[in-house]
Amino acid sequence: MFSLTPMQYQWLVVALSAIALLILVIVFRRRLVASLKQRQIGQAIRRLGPKVHHDLLVPDGIDGVLVADYVVLTHKGILLVTVNWYEGNIFGGKDTDQWTQVLRGTSHRFNNPLHELQLICATVRSLVPNIPVSGIVLFAGDCAFPKDKPDGACLVNDLPRRRRKQVVPPRFETAWELLLAKAGMLRVN
């Protein structure tokens, strides 16, 4: 058997630690990238308005619940943001029922996300009448719209890079508080 000098032992510990760290990075890379991407999205959405709420639950009117990924109070009213994670090329139109994702030569169909967004917007409008409510579907993955991008769909790069100073009318602030209060009644503890 051989023995190590203290200097060799230190280098062995450093090398084994580096290998262990490399293995962890490889194993958890996807989670790390997804976590960083979600953080970037949260920051980009927070630049849209002075107040943001994540995962807002709103009643659908038939004993169910709809989830708005993000709700933003802006100077123009309330903005709902639903986030979809897709990669590859996305093809779809505002009025088509099915959209298509093309990834690595394979196509996958999915329901038009603008239809669900319209339902959530209508539900929020019913909770805070007389306040403008709009929405966008944010495509957060590494995707592109090679043809026309439908109104209401956007990519992370489409969002503003800087927060604009916004003066929110008091009646929008009141509606915001009312919406959060109504949604808070649905929270499950």
Side-chain angles (χ1 to χ4, degrees):
M1 186 150 158
F2 65 93
S3 65
L4 298 173
T5 66
M7 184 64 96
Q8 290 172 327
Y9 181 74
Q10 287 177 342
W11 279 109
L12 179 63
V13 168
V14 168
L16 289 175
S17 298
I19 290 170
L21 182 62
L22 183 63
I23 290 171
L24 285 173
V25 167
I26 290 169
V27 169
F28 293 107
R29 181 178 179 268
R30 281 183 173 257
R31 287 185 188 169
L32 181 63
V33 168
S35 176
L36 289 173
K37 185 75 170 183
Q38 281 200 309
R39 183 180 170 152
Q40 288 174 336
I41 289 166
Q43 289 173 342
I45 290 172
R46 281 189 286 284
R47 289 191 294 263
L48 295 174
K51 293 187 180 182
V52 176
H53 189 82
H54 183 54
D55 289 336
L56 184 78
L57 303 175
V58 292
D60 68 357
I62 50 174
D63 294 333
V65 178
L66 298 170
V67 178
D69 294 328
Y70 291 92
V71 181
V72 183
L73 177 64
T74 73
H75 66 288
K76 294 180 180 179
I78 293 175
L79 175 68
L80 304 173
V81 181
T82 60
V83 180
N84 285 334
W85 293 86
Y86 286 98
E87 294 183 8
N89 290 322
I90 307 296
F91 299 91
K94 184 178 178 183
D95 297 320
T96 59
D97 290 335
Q98 296 278 305
W99 286 14
T100 303
Q101 170 196 31
V102 178
L103 180 64
R104 295 183 203 97
T106 307
S107 64
H108 307 277
R109 292 191 170 273
F110 60 97
N111 290 332
N112 182 342
L114 295 173
H115 293 306
E116 182 179 356
L117 178 64
Q118 289 171 349
L119 178 63
I120 296 170
C121 285
T123 302
V124 170
R125 275 187 207 102
S126 73
L127 296 174
V128 286
N130 303 319
I131 300 297
V133 176
S134 60
I136 58 172
V137 177
L138 177 63
F139 284 84
D142 186 19
C143 64
F145 288 85
K147 293 193 176 186
D148 294 334
K149 184 174 26 169
D151 289 340
C154 72
L155 301 171
V156 175
N157 291 338
D158 298 335
L159 298 179
R161 299 248 182 252
R162 298 187 129 163
R163 175 180 241 149
R164 288 181 242 139
K165 185 156 176 78
Q166 298 181 6
V167 177
V168 177
R171 69 186 188 100
F172 291 1
E173 291 270 358
T174 303
W176 174 263
E177 296 302 325
L178 176 65
L179 177 62
L180 293 183
K182 288 181 177 181
M185 290 186 271
L186 297 174
R187 291 244 175 247
V188 177
N189 293 328

